[in-house]
Amino acid sequence: MENMMKVVYIKSPGNIQILEEPIPTPKKGEALLKVKYCGICGSDVAVYKGEQPFATYPRIPGHEFSAEIVSIENNDLGLREGMLVTANPYFNCGHCYPCRKGNINCCVNNETMGVQRNGSFAQYITMPIHRIYSGEGLDAKILAQIEPFCIGFHAVNRANVKEKEKVLVFGAGAIGIFAMLSAKLKGADVYIADMLQSRLEVARALGANNTLNLTQVDLDKAIYEITEGNGMDVVVEAVGAPKSFLSAINSVAFSGKIVLIGNGTKEVTFNQSVLVKKELNIYGSRNSLPNDFRQLIKLAKDGLVDTEKIVTDIYNFEDCVQAFLELVNNPGDHLKVLLKFND
């Protein structure tokens, strides 16, 4: 193996460079991984555009990935050289109040790969062994989607979605569709709303009970007809826009549940008495937990989840500038974009 590799850097907003640097040497408790595929997340696009407030530059983006273990110490996790794996990219401090309570996904001092620390857009990376999960024989392209799937999966678990409940997801991007699939796994009747018909068609093909094109339907009337006037049992907000947040409050049933995944960048004004009047349960959902990764890998291995249709584009990593420009200029045309780093 050569001792040099290629790495994607966002040197400053709008400026991507591919540089050569030495392959990293794993420290005690770390493994050396040969990266296969990386997904481009919305947070990576935000770093590229200069709209991610927690990012510093230069920064190696990326936190959705699959990889092959090149070298690893003896361990009690069954991990060994040659295995395809994925990993948990949220580095928690271990000593803050949430960490001490076991809520490591919302660590006060969290550092996510590609944002507060360098990420996975490199031909080789090192990872702490305890953060690595066996891919259980799954294809590398599927493994690269486990992390974003975990975001939707964790949100649905937060709301404790139950069989036959009516669930509405705002946003048919990758995270929204992963939330939709997660609610379907619970046996819920799931509806998904968006302004882009192409995304809604993917959601329908993946099992949505129905889709709502917000440019074509009267949302209040549609919700009334779907629920016989009762409102949705659960609403998942995966957009982060004021209008979809307010629509979530309006669409949910009395005593219903709202889960917020989307990162809002604008303030929302509303009368809080509606929360009291409806006695709503509102959950924030951040990152995911180790068990989310393990459960989803098993579900994918058992053939209970299908992510193939979500991947709309695969680029060689050396064409990453084109991939980012497409996501910036034509976001509606690309649901999930993968970069290929190694065969």
Side-chain angles (χ1 to χ4, degrees):
M1 183 176 69
E2 297 180 2
N3 62 355
M4 299 296 288
M5 66 173 182
K6 291 184 178 179
V7 181
V8 176
Y9 275 95
I10 299 179
K11 301 291 285 186
S12 60
N15 179 13
I16 295 179
Q17 295 182 24
I18 299 175
L19 305 177
E20 276 202 351
E21 59 183 48
I23 293 173
T25 300
K27 300 174 183 176
K28 180 69 175 176
E30 294 183 338
L32 177 63
L33 304 180
K34 181 180 182 180
V35 176
K36 294 292 189 179
Y37 290 91
C38 290
I40 301 180
C41 176
S43 65
D44 300 317
V45 176
V47 173
Y48 173 74
K49 293 170 69 177
E51 297 175 354
Q52 169 50 262
F54 303 117
T56 55
Y57 302 88
R59 177 63 65 216
I60 302 172
H63 60 265
E64 310 171 0
F65 67 92
S66 59
E68 177 186 344
I69 298 177
V70 176
S71 64
I72 191 168
E73 303 169 7
N74 289 332
N75 60 86
D76 58 4
L77 300 176
L79 300 170
R80 59 187 183 276
E81 293 177 7
M83 290 179 64
L84 285 180
V85 297
T86 189
N88 184 333
Y90 329 117
F91 283 71
N92 62 296
C93 69
H95 56 75
C96 69
Y97 185 54
C99 282
R100 296 199 307 273
K101 293 200 300 178
N103 301 322
I104 61 175
N105 61 304
C106 48
C107 169
V108 172
N109 306 300
N110 173 76
E111 292 187 357
T112 298
M113 291 173 64
V115 181
Q116 295 97 339
R117 61 166 58 209
N118 280 334
S120 57
F121 282 19
Q123 290 182 302
Y124 293 87
I125 61 172
T126 57
M127 281 293 291
I129 294 171
H130 70 274
R131 294 188 166 276
I132 300 172
Y133 305 104
S134 167
E136 301 294 340
L138 291 174
D139 181 85
K141 291 188 286 294
I142 294 175
L143 281 175
Q145 297 176 71
I146 292 295
E147 188 279 333
F149 204 146
C150 281
I151 303 298
F153 189 71
H154 182 74
V156 166
N157 285 336
R158 289 276 289 150
N160 192 24
V161 171
K162 295 182 172 60
E163 187 176 2
K164 297 302 181 183
E165 284 190 320
K166 286 184 166 55
V167 177
L168 173 63
V169 178
F170 279 103
I175 300 299
I177 289 180
F178 285 135
M180 180 270 290
L181 290 171
S182 300
K184 291 294 293 182
L185 286 169
K186 303 286 187 181
D189 295 331
V190 191
Y191 302 79
I192 191 163
D194 201 285
M195 300 176 69
L196 296 172
Q197 188 60 32
S198 58
R199 291 187 171 185
L200 293 173
E201 288 170 1
V202 173
R204 176 69 71 88
L206 287 168
N209 289 76
N210 208 340
T211 59
L212 302 171
N213 187 320
L214 296 173
T215 68
Q216 299 175 8
V217 303
D218 181 323
L219 182 62
D220 291 343
K221 181 179 179 181
I223 299 299
Y224 187 91
E225 292 175 351
I226 290 168
T227 66
E228 298 179 338
N230 295 320
M232 291 288 178
D233 297 298
V234 180
V235 177
V236 180
E237 201 286 332
V239 179
K243 186 172 183 179
S244 55
F245 173 71
L246 296 174
S247 293
I249 293 174
N250 194 48
S251 300
V252 74
F254 279 64
S255 75
K257 294 172 280 190
I258 296 174
V259 194
L260 306 175
I261 311 177
N263 279 315
T265 59
K266 298 180 180 178
E267 292 186 1
V268 184
T269 301
F270 68 101
N271 190 329
Q272 69 187 51
S273 66
V274 68
L275 308 183
V276 177
K277 178 183 178 181
K278 284 190 165 184
E279 198 179 61
L280 296 182
N281 301 281
I282 299 182
Y283 301 86
S285 185
R286 181 184 181 189
N287 299 338
S288 52
L289 291 165
N291 201 40
D292 297 322
F293 284 84
R294 298 186 189 101
Q295 288 185 57
L296 270 179
I297 289 170
K298 184 179 187 306
L299 289 166
K301 179 185 177 183
D302 293 342
L304 297 177
V305 293
D306 174 19
T307 64
E308 185 178 350
K309 295 183 181 69
I310 294 177
V311 177
T312 50
D313 308 86
I314 299 176
Y315 290 85
N316 187 285
F317 78 94
E318 293 175 317
D319 297 321
C320 60
V321 172
Q322 180 184 350
F324 272 90
L325 287 174
E326 276 294 311
L327 285 167
V328 170
N329 297 323
N330 304 294
D333 296 337
H334 310 280
L335 195 52
K336 175 52 64 180
V337 176
L338 298 181
L339 297 179
K340 183 178 181 179
F341 280 83
N342 286 289
D343 291 324

